[in-house]
Amino acid sequence: LLGHSIGGYLAVAYAERYPQHVDRLILASPVGVPHPPAELAAAIGDAPFLVRTVLGMWRSGWSPMTLAKLGLGNMMMRGYVSRRFADVDWIPKDLLQAYLYQNWSGGRNSGGGYAHSTLLVPGGLGELAYARQPLVDRIPRLRVGRISAIYGEFDWMDHRNMKALKTSLLKRKAEAGLEAPLIEVIRVASASHQIPIDNPLGFAEAVLDSCNDADAAHGTTVGGSRGAIGRLVPGYH
């Protein structure tokens, strides 16, 4: 089962609920791996009033998707897609904008908005968002044999959190004999969080490597220079 971003978080939840249906997981830049840092609450408390108000609304169930429903969606997505993604032949920006807009605003309560506001809490230190129930507590209990975690080279989800979990699980197995999933971490060159868009061939290579020889794939960076992130305006990672 493969899931990207919040889909990776949901893939773990599915494996918890239906372990008989899942043999292994591939998590592409999954949200919500670590616990929030202890200093996050103080940082939010010291933030400007407008920032505290927005974050408070998020914690109360609102999300950026709410603005899209107020008629700002197309403008927001047009600006985001234009600045965030490179002008390359494999990224049809008009279609991508339409897809993101529908994901943010489709229906009475969009799937993206609902998941964002119910599963996540605001970050800003370390990660942009944290899970209300972090994966670092949930993955050790999974009854799957292996987890492949794939991150972009410039990902805002920090691959080191998954590497730390891998080390912790190996130590637990060595010291106490407790079973837990095997984890490998693979990075895709010239990609950020939107790995399948930034470097689709590199992403495909990472998925195939994880399936063919996962142990050898751990710690590698694949995809060469085929991605688009290097062509972006600096700062849009």
Side-chain angles (χ1 to χ4, degrees):
L1 179 61
L2 190 157
H4 171 254
S5 191
I6 204 164
Y9 187 88
L10 294 175
V12 171
Y14 182 89
E16 282 181 321
R17 179 71 63 87
Y18 304 106
Q20 71 275 19
H21 296 320
V22 182
D23 179 62
R24 61 176 298 163
L25 291 171
I26 299 178
L27 308 179
S29 190
V31 70
V33 174
H35 293 112
E39 59 270 25
L40 178 60
I44 292 176
D46 293 337
F49 173 76
L50 180 59
V51 174
R52 297 200 310 273
T53 300
V54 170
L55 297 183
M57 292 173 65
W58 180 347
R59 291 180 182 276
S60 298
W62 292 64
S63 83
M65 285 73 168
T66 306
L67 294 177
K69 289 184 172 295
L70 298 177
L72 302 176
N74 271 317
M75 181 184 69
M76 293 167 62
M77 290 300 99
R78 188 181 305 113
Y80 170 69
V81 170
S82 175
R83 295 190 302 268
R84 166 60 181 81
F85 296 99
D87 293 318
V88 290
D89 56 6
W90 69 81
I91 302 180
K93 289 191 173 183
D94 289 344
L95 293 177
L96 180 58
Q97 176 188 328
Y99 164 77
L100 292 173
Y101 173 72
Q102 290 300 324
N103 183 51
W104 278 45
S105 61
R108 185 179 62 84
N109 188 12
S110 72
Y114 181 77
H116 183 277
S117 60
T118 57
L119 301 180
L120 306 179
V121 293
L125 288 178
E127 309 259 325
L128 292 180
Y130 291 91
R132 296 176 188 269
Q133 298 182 42
L135 294 185
V136 69
D137 298 327
R138 304 175 72 168
I139 286 177
R141 300 193 297 265
L142 292 180
R143 291 188 290 165
V144 299
R146 185 177 290 274
I147 297 173
S148 300
I150 301 174
Y151 292 86
E153 182 181 5
F154 303 104
D155 211 313
W156 62 62
M157 303 297 181
D158 195 338
H159 70 284
R160 293 174 295 185
N161 292 315
M162 190 65 79
K163 282 189 172 181
L165 177 57
K166 172 185 175 69
T167 300
S168 173
L169 294 182
L170 288 175
K171 181 178 179 181
R172 188 177 79 162
K173 184 175 182 178
E175 294 180 350
L178 299 176
E179 292 298 321
L182 297 173
I183 299 175
E184 62 269 355
V185 178
I186 307 170
R187 301 176 74 194
V188 176
S190 199
S192 184
H193 180 63
Q194 302 290 353
I195 316 168
I197 301 175
D198 291 329
N199 191 343
L201 293 179
F203 179 68
E205 182 179 346
V207 171
L208 291 174
D209 283 357
S210 72
C211 294
N212 293 332
D213 192 348
D215 290 328
H218 175 67
T220 61
T221 299
V222 301
S225 58
R226 293 177 292 191
I229 204 75
R231 311 181 203 188
L232 294 176
V233 176
Y236 285 94
H237 288 177

